[in-house]
Amino acid sequence: MTAMRTISQDRFGGPEVLHEVERPRPEPGPTEILVRVHAAGVNPVDAKTRATGYLLGELPFVLGWDVSGVVEAVGFGVTLFRPGDEVFGMPLFPREAGAYAEYVVAPTRHFAPKPAALDHPHAAALPLVGLTAWQSLVETAHLQAGQRVLVHAAAGGVGHVAVQLAKARGAHVIGTASAAKHDFLRELGVDEPIDYTTADFAEQVRDVDVVFDTVGGDIGVRSVPVVRPGGTVVTILGNTLPALAEAAAGREVRAAAVLCEPDRLGLTALADLVEGGALRTELDAVLPLAQAGKAHELIESGRTRGKIVLTP
Amino acid sequence: MTAMRTISQDRFGGPEVLHEVERPRPEPGPTEILVRVHAAGVNPVDAKTRATGYLLGELPFVLGWDVSGVVEAVGFGVTLFRPGDEVFGMPLFPREAGAYAEYVVAPTRHFAPKPAALDHPHAAALPLVGLTAWQSLVETAHLQAGQRVLVHAAAGGVGHVAVQLAKARGAHVIGTASAAKHDFLRELGVDEPIDYTTADFAEQVRDVDVVFDTVGGDIGVRSVPVVRPGGTVVTILGNTLPALAEAAAGREVRAAAVLCEPDRLGLTALADLVEGGALRTELDAVLPLAQAGKAHELIESGRTRGKIVLTP
């Protein structure tokens, strides 16, 4: 059995629990592909799962839900891809991870052809945040041209993709970030950058159709008054949904929480936007796989601009 | 914990190993839905898995990969469906099954809204055979209008859907069945019914662009000479692929084996065809869940016309 390098953990804790371990290279089952990882995206949900188990229960495990790479082998019954194809996508989120490694196995339809316009690190930055933004703004909030959308943490991993998606759909985009990031927001397509650090955003914004909360805490609840009747607040911090739903009830505002699901329909839509020049991913840092702990320190600092990516 | 009725098995064997067992009702995990099963399709792969384990390894297990029903509950982060929605689709094939039961859990994007034109039994007959036909003819063979396609066992579960898909794409459809089923083939849209029982199909057919083998054995290999150069033979009997690929090599014919993968993109395409009047499922028998053994006897007889469905 061929071995491969992985970043594994056998206890929950800080970034220091991440360490290099050799594991057997997985084999693709029926309908699955084996992908040689050229780059693996790092997401806040990785850090949460590292620290608490969150979506993955049993130790030891290998984190990593964002992949860009090359198909190494295909399982029984697979015809969509062949060895050598460049692909991007996700393993069986949320039940399995494994992209902090040289190889990862995934259902074939959790992947799509990598956009030629992106190199592997930029493509690895896209699946989880891109599907999260797509499934929140398009499939849940049904964002339309001409609507007003407020994106919280618009310079963050999910936020910076959400801004571009909203802009590509013809929406008027309001985005929050500290003033130092407002030039970046404008580059992404934000029409109205809001500095949430000097004044309450709720006093600077009104009559929006859709609020996208990528922050959590009380941001969702505090956003309800800025939404017009019939509008929607979507959060990706599901633990805030009960309070959000309570605040939204009686104000004719819809409250929803989204956890992204791997889906090639969404991946293909994202790839089309990339190829059309309407979407790009911003990298804050590209680190070698062995520095996964450093990557987690960065992602937990909350001060990144764009995404962190690991390369085996 | 609420109990539910299931048809389970704790050993491999004939239809008699299937028996009714109460099990805890499952709960939907993050990104998953809990579906109240109104009808569950029975497929040949169910019988093979019952007898040998095939796709599901560890006993005991509950078979069933085809579902039509009503969303009972949604897991964390799900917004595509809400309780009460009528849906059709598949559990986590091929790793998990479970539709021979009152309730089943599945990833949200393995389901799509049930076409209003189909009742639950007819909708439950569609996902596995429909996705198999779609992924074989459309996504693998790229069947085009004006092309000639040969469908083996055109009156069978996969075959009768494949004929309609091919016809809807504007292909010229040649289908094999015994003469008694030729009227049925013509109703489905077959242009040239072939009686394989009285003469070798390979002497009656030539110059086809695509062969779809839903039978196995030596049918794929014997089909290679009827394919024009550049054409494709797709089989759903993966064990025949090595011999098929060898026969196809050197004749400029592509050989491929498909195992269906749950995918709402395909489900939605199938539902659109149903709503447009281009696709229907044919039921051979609808039996109560308790008669799952009888259903397996029927499916193993190889003499069904259309599909077998169970209703809890």
Side-chain angles (χ1 to χ4, degrees):
Chain A
M1 185 154 297
T2 316
M4 66 171 186
R5 286 185 301 119
T6 74
I7 297 296
S8 184
Q9 65 182 93
D10 39 31
R11 60 193 173 94
F12 302 127
E16 71 282 358
V17 304
L18 300 173
H19 62 282
E20 205 165 313
V21 174
E22 291 229 327
R23 288 196 170 192
R25 196 168 90 177
E27 305 211 350
T31 74
E32 295 180 342
I33 53 176
L34 175 71
V35 178
R36 184 180 184 105
V37 179
H38 284 236
V42 177
N43 293 288
V45 68
D46 300 11
K48 187 171 174 182
T49 303
R50 182 210 73 223
T52 67
Y54 190 36
L55 293 171
L56 297 175
E58 288 183 36
L59 291 164
F61 54 66
V62 174
L63 290 169
W65 280 299
D66 269 339
V67 184
S68 183
V70 175
V71 176
E72 179 80 11
V74 303
F76 173 73
V78 172
T79 63
L80 275 189
F81 299 119
R82 62 188 67 185
D85 287 349
E86 295 197 315
V87 293
F88 79 127
M90 297 178 71
L92 193 53
F93 179 87
R95 292 200 196 179
E96 296 176 4
Y100 292 6
E102 289 182 287
Y103 296 89
V104 70
V105 151
T108 300
R109 282 172 173 75
H110 288 193
F111 275 75
K114 179 180 80 65
L118 297 184
D119 60 16
H120 286 295
H122 284 82
L126 187 54
L128 191 145
V129 298
L131 289 172
T132 298
W134 180 265
Q135 292 169 8
S136 296
L137 293 180
V138 178
E139 297 187 349
T140 299
H142 307 293
L143 184 66
Q144 307 292 326
Q147 288 189 327
R148 292 163 55 82
V149 58
L150 167 62
V151 178
H152 287 291
V158 174
H160 86 294
V161 172
V163 165
Q164 297 172 79
L165 287 189
K167 203 66 199 168
R169 293 186 80 77
H172 178 86
V173 183
I174 306 159
T176 70
S178 59
K181 292 176 177 169
H182 282 198
D183 285 347
F184 177 53
L185 293 197
R186 286 197 188 84
E187 285 168 32
L188 294 170
V190 169
D191 298 290
E192 291 183 44
I194 300 283
D195 182 357
Y196 69 96
T197 63
T198 52
D200 186 354
F201 70 86
E203 290 171 10
Q204 306 176 65
V205 183
R206 66 175 61 184
D207 291 335
V208 306
D209 299 277
V210 176
V211 173
F212 189 28
D213 168 25
T214 71
V215 176
D218 64 353
I219 291 284
V221 168
R222 286 168 53 209
S223 297
V224 171
V226 313
V227 182
R228 65 158 185 75
T232 302
V233 179
V234 188
T235 181
I236 61 172
L237 288 306
N239 63 319
T240 70
L241 184 61
L244 174 59
E246 190 180 326
R251 294 189 70 119
E252 293 179 59
V253 169
R254 178 179 170 218
V258 166
L259 186 64
C260 101
E261 197 175 348
D263 184 17
R264 74 180 174 126
L265 191 155
L267 287 173
T268 303
L270 294 166
D272 287 348
L273 287 170
V274 167
E275 297 290 12
L279 176 62
R280 64 189 170 88
T281 50
E282 183 81 12
L283 300 186
D284 186 283
V286 180
L287 299 171
L289 188 56
Q291 291 184 34
K294 172 83 183 291
H296 276 226
E297 286 170 17
L298 288 171
I299 204 93
E300 289 184 302
S301 76
R303 284 192 295 272
T304 52
R305 197 186 86 159
K307 299 270 298 171
I308 312 287
V309 167
L310 298 170
T311 53
Chain B
M1 185 154 298
T2 315
M4 66 171 184
R5 286 184 301 120
T6 74
I7 297 296
S8 183
Q9 65 183 94
D10 39 31
R11 58 191 175 95
F12 302 129
E16 72 281 358
V17 304
L18 300 173
H19 61 282
E20 205 165 313
V21 174
E22 291 228 327
R23 288 195 170 194
R25 196 169 91 175
E27 304 210 352
T31 75
E32 295 179 341
I33 53 175
L34 174 70
V35 178
R36 183 179 184 106
V37 179
H38 283 237
V42 177
N43 293 287
V45 68
D46 299 11
K48 187 171 175 182
T49 303
R50 181 209 73 222
T52 68
Y54 190 38
L55 293 172
L56 297 176
E58 288 181 36
L59 291 163
F61 53 65
V62 174
L63 290 169
W65 280 299
D66 268 340
V67 184
S68 183
V70 174
V71 175
E72 179 80 11
V74 304
F76 174 74
V78 172
T79 62
L80 275 190
F81 299 118
R82 63 187 67 186
D85 287 350
E86 296 197 314
V87 294
F88 79 127
M90 298 178 71
L92 192 53
F93 179 88
R95 293 200 195 179
E96 297 177 3
Y100 292 6
E102 291 182 286
Y103 296 89
V104 68
V105 150
T108 299
R109 281 171 175 75
H110 288 195
F111 275 74
K114 179 180 81 64
L118 297 184
D119 59 16
H120 284 296
H122 284 83
L126 188 53
L128 191 145
V129 298
L131 289 172
T132 298
W134 179 266
Q135 292 169 7
S136 296
L137 293 180
V138 179
E139 297 187 349
T140 299
H142 306 293
L143 184 66
Q144 306 292 325
Q147 288 190 327
R148 291 162 56 81
V149 58
L150 168 62
V151 178
H152 287 291
V158 174
H160 87 292
V161 172
V163 165
Q164 297 173 79
L165 286 189
K167 202 65 197 168
R169 292 186 82 77
H172 178 85
V173 182
I174 307 159
T176 69
S178 59
K181 291 177 178 169
H182 283 198
D183 284 348
F184 178 52
L185 294 197
R186 287 196 188 86
E187 284 169 31
L188 294 171
V190 169
D191 298 291
E192 290 183 44
I194 300 285
D195 182 357
Y196 70 95
T197 64
T198 53
D200 186 355
F201 71 87
E203 290 171 9
Q204 306 175 66
V205 184
R206 66 174 59 183
D207 291 336
V208 306
D209 298 279
V210 176
V211 173
F212 188 28
D213 169 26
T214 70
V215 176
D218 64 353
I219 290 284
V221 168
R222 287 166 54 207
S223 298
V224 171
V226 314
V227 182
R228 66 159 186 73
T232 301
V233 179
V234 188
T235 182
I236 61 172
L237 288 306
N239 63 318
T240 70
L241 185 62
L244 174 60
E246 191 180 326
R251 293 189 70 117
E252 294 180 59
V253 169
R254 179 181 169 216
V258 165
L259 186 64
C260 103
E261 196 175 348
D263 183 18
R264 75 181 174 125
L265 191 154
L267 288 173
T268 304
L270 294 166
D272 287 347
L273 287 170
V274 167
E275 298 289 13
L279 175 62
R280 64 189 170 90
T281 49
E282 184 80 11
L283 299 186
D284 187 283
V286 180
L287 299 171
L289 187 58
Q291 292 184 32
K294 172 84 184 293
H296 275 227
E297 286 170 18
L298 288 171
I299 203 95
E300 289 184 304
S301 74
R303 284 192 295 273
T304 53
R305 196 185 87 157
K307 299 271 298 172
I308 313 286
V309 166
L310 298 170
T311 53

